[in-house]
């Protein structure tokens, strides 16, 4: 339960500083409250809050998220080449900002820690006048900030968060997620694992010890055990452990013939590298070649793990090699600005910023309840994942899911993953009631 409270007195005392870049101050006044919702923009600008890990185990993803947010702001304001606004099926945004206002932004460092993330989000809402918070590269952070935004009365557009709980038991009316989740990963990945490794396997899980790791471990166990796999053990490891050798040694004598690494970011780079150094990939157990699975991939961490990812299966929300018009427009725009292709973290955060701005424009307001209603059930295309829907019941986006594999013969340091299957939405969709939770009512921050 959040302890966050925004008081009228506190807001009246604050001057909304702009922060990182374009900041034009927003002055809170009694008129703002009379208008009926928190941080209603009154001047020529509207402030977005980008809350990403600039330090910690997921800092690489955070850096790419921030690059994508900055690119999205440029495109919303009519600068640059327009990126995926040119391919987005909605044509509400005209390249002149949102609802007649230019977008400016402030930033915060979540440090990949929930307390730090809540503190920076609170600062952006209370002092900088942010109308919306977006970002995060940890489900623990995303759930914490989503709860804070619900209590405060602003919209939260989740960044990279893969735990079922974000739009499951911890979902909130003011929160929306474009990224997929572990339930979808399990449903998409398990048939590919069966095809390549058979249905008679024994798996050993190493799992990041927080909501995302628990969620992914649960989903992979659920779907692989339905195939006939057994689970030898599921061992929890601390986030940011660095050295995983003490956890990998027991795998050798466990009788398992598959190691599932429920790790992400630098943790995955370290655990996979050490598993390969321990010779697991060269072993035979139970008369089978030992296999390693990384259920959630990103190009950034695959790049960090180098040759160790060759032949290893996983899933991803998006990949820069996709040939659809939207993906290519984004890759071109991002590459022109930064000199390398975007990651899936960059893609989902760019989409979230665009989708929020578009919803505000279509609703004709920044009021959270109005924006939320514009996002609920919204069907769109042209943002790189094919036809997509923001499901009204849980604010989870549904779209096709990519199964990928570490590339055997990469042509560059960015060409490390190949898409082996595009799993249709129908195969990964589930009833909203499956993951529990209640959205509750919108909070406009009155």
């Amino acid at each position: 339960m959040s302890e966050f409270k925004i008081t009228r007195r506190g807001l009246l005392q604050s001057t909304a500083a702009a922060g990182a870049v374009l900041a034009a101050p927003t002055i809170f006044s009694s008129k703002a409250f009379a208008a009926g919702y928190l941080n209603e923009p009154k001047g020529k600008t509207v402030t977005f809050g980008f809350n990403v890990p600039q330090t910690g185990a997921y800092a690489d993803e955070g850096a790419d998220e921030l690059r994508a947010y900055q690119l999205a702001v440029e495109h919303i304001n009519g600068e640059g080449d327009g990126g995926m606004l040119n391919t987005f099926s909605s044509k509400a945004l005209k390249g002149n900002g949102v609802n007649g206002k230019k977008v400016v932004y402030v930033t915060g460092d979540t440090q990949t820690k929930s307390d730090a993330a809540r503190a920076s989000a609170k600062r952006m809402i209370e002092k900088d006048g942010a109308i919306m918070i977006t970002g995060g590269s940890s489900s623990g952070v995303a759930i914490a900030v989503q709860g804070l935004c619900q209590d405060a009365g602003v919209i939260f557009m989740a960044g990279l968060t893969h735990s079922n709980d974000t739009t499951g038991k911890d979902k909130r009316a003011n929160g929306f997620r474009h990224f997929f989740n572990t339930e979808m990963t399990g449903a998409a990945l398990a048939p590919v694992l069966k095809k390549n490794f058979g249905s008679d396997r024994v798996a050993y899980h190493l799992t990041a010890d927080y909501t995302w790791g628990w969620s992914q471990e649960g989903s992979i166990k659920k779907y692989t055990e339905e195939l006939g796999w057994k689970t030898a053990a599921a061992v929890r490891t601390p986030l940011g452990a660095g050295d995983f050798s003490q956890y990998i040694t027991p795998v050798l004598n466990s009788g398992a013939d598959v190691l599932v690494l429920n790790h992400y970011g630098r943790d995955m780079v370290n655990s996979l590298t050490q598993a390969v150094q321990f010779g697991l990939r060269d072993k035979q157990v139970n008369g089978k070649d030992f296999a390693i699975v990384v259920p959630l991939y990103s190009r950034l961490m695959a790049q960090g793990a180098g040759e160790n990812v060759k032949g290893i299966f996983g899933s991803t929300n998006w990949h820069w090699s996709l040939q659809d018009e939207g993906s290519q427009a984004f890759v071109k725009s991002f590459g022109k600005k930064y000199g390398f292709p975007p990651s899936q973290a960059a893609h989902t955060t760019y989409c979230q910023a665009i989708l929020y701005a578009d919803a505000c424009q279509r609703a004709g307001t920044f009021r959270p309840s109005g924006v939320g209603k514009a996002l609920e059930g919204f069907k769109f295309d042209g943002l790189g994942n094919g036809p997509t829907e923001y499901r009204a019941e849980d604010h989870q986006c549904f779209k096709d899911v990519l199964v990928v594999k570490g590339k055997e013969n990469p042509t560059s340091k960015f060409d490390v993953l190949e898409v082996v299957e595009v799993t249709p939405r129908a195969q990964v969709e589930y009833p909203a009631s499956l993951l529990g939770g209640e959205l509750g009512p919108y909070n406009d921050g009155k």
Side-chain angles (χ1 to χ4, degrees):
M1 186 73 180
S2 170
E3 297 178 356
F4 179 85
K5 291 182 180 178
I6 293 180
T7 65
R8 174 175 174 169
R9 182 179 179 186
L11 288 175
L12 288 171
Q13 289 176 337
S14 71
T15 57
V21 207
L22 300 171
T26 303
I27 306 298
F28 293 101
S29 67
S30 57
K31 188 176 180 181
F33 284 89
Y37 65 96
L38 183 68
N39 290 346
E40 180 183 8
K42 293 296 187 181
K44 296 181 179 179
T45 62
V46 58
T47 303
F48 291 1
F50 301 150
N51 204 23
V52 303
Q54 299 177 48
T55 56
Y58 297 164
D60 290 345
E61 277 74 14
D64 231 32
E65 288 182 336
L66 194 53
R67 295 184 189 104
Y69 281 135
Q70 292 166 338
L71 189 63
V73 169
E74 288 184 9
H75 294 166
I76 293 168
N77 286 336
E79 302 161 6
D81 63 9
M84 285 197 286
L85 284 186
N86 298 313
T87 59
F88 187 23
S89 55
S90 174
K91 302 303 178 187
L93 295 171
K94 303 300 182 186
N96 57 355
V98 186
N99 292 336
K101 301 179 187 301
K102 290 289 186 182
V103 176
V104 298
Y105 62 90
V106 292
T107 68
D109 180 8
T110 69
Q111 303 175 36
T112 323
K113 298 176 181 175
S114 296
D115 288 347
R118 286 170 58 90
S120 57
K122 184 176 184 291
R123 183 262 300 168
M124 288 190 279
I125 296 169
E126 192 169 18
K127 299 192 69 175
D128 300 334
I131 192 70
M132 175 272 288
I133 301 295
T134 180
S137 285
S138 151
S139 292
V141 163
I143 290 168
V145 174
Q146 180 169 257
L148 179 139
C149 289
Q150 178 70 41
D151 293 343
V154 300
I155 290 290
F156 176 61
M157 301 293 284
L160 197 159
T161 166
H162 189 229
S163 172
N164 287 339
D165 293 347
T166 307
T167 47
K169 74 177 184 61
D170 294 312
K171 59 177 169 276
R172 297 290 185 271
N174 283 36
F176 294 84
R177 171 163 63 177
H178 171 266
F179 206 71
F180 69 152
N181 61 32
T182 68
E183 177 69 19
M184 299 181 201
T185 283
L189 185 57
V192 176
L193 297 180
K194 179 182 179 181
K195 179 180 178 182
N196 285 275
F197 303 130
S199 56
D200 180 23
R201 284 282 185 164
V202 182
Y204 192 108
H205 290 251
L206 290 181
T207 301
D209 193 12
Y210 73 105
T211 178
W212 168 70
W214 309 332
S215 180
Q216 180 164 282
E217 175 192 297
S219 294
I220 299 301
K221 285 174 64 178
K222 169 185 170 183
Y223 281 95
T224 54
E225 288 176 358
E226 285 180 2
L227 298 177
W229 287 27
K230 294 181 174 59
T231 301
V235 177
R236 306 290 167 83
T237 62
L239 181 63
D243 182 2
F244 290 89
S245 56
Q246 64 176 305
Y247 301 103
I248 293 172
T249 302
V251 179
L252 298 169
N253 300 314
S254 67
D257 47 46
V258 178
L259 174 61
V260 181
L261 292 175
N262 299 306
H263 292 149
Y264 195 77
R266 292 174 188 168
D267 281 353
M268 174 270 178
V269 172
N270 291 331
S271 64
L272 176 59
T273 299
Q274 290 168 2
V276 173
Q277 289 173 343
F278 274 59
L280 287 179
R281 295 192 67 178
D282 301 323
K283 288 180 67 66
Q284 272 216 336
V285 179
N286 305 326
K288 306 177 183 69
D289 291 337
F290 196 93
I292 300 176
V293 178
V294 177
L296 179 61
Y297 260 129
S298 80
R299 190 265 300 164
L300 289 172
M301 63 189 206
Q303 191 176 321
E307 293 191 350
N308 297 320
V309 303
K310 287 185 176 182
I312 293 181
F313 290 97
S315 68
T316 191
N317 193 61
W318 177 84
H319 193 257
W320 66 273
S321 66
L322 293 175
Q323 295 300 305
D324 64 276
E325 192 179 19
S327 294
Q328 289 303 294
F330 183 53
V331 171
K332 179 182 178 182
S333 185
F334 190 97
K336 183 177 180 181
K337 184 173 178 63
Y338 299 114
F340 47 84
S343 64
Q344 64 169 352
H347 173 259
T348 203
T349 50
Y350 177 93
C351 289
Q352 285 287 67
I354 295 294
L355 287 164
Y356 172 78
D358 174 78
C360 294
Q361 189 71 37
R362 288 187 289 109
T365 180
F366 297 99
R367 180 188 295 271
S369 56
V371 177
K373 291 297 181 185
L375 285 169
E376 286 184 353
F378 179 53
K379 297 178 181 178
F380 58 93
D381 203 348
L383 293 186
N385 287 110
T388 304
E389 178 179 1
Y390 244 127
R391 189 162 69 176
E393 290 86 350
D394 55 3
H395 295 183
Q396 171 67 55
C397 268
F398 282 89
K399 51 192 181 294
D400 298 345
V401 170
L402 305 178
V403 177
V404 294
K405 183 174 72 170
K407 204 162 187 177
E408 296 287 354
N409 298 298
T411 57
S412 74
K413 65 179 181 179
F414 306 114
D415 182 34
V416 287
L417 296 175
E418 61 178 317
V419 178
V420 297
E421 185 162 303
V422 179
T423 308
R425 168 184 169 173
Q427 187 175 320
V428 302
E429 193 161 2
Y430 55 86
S433 59
L434 179 72
L435 303 182
E438 296 288 341
L439 284 173
Y442 284 104
N443 181 7
D444 289 334
K446 291 190 286 187

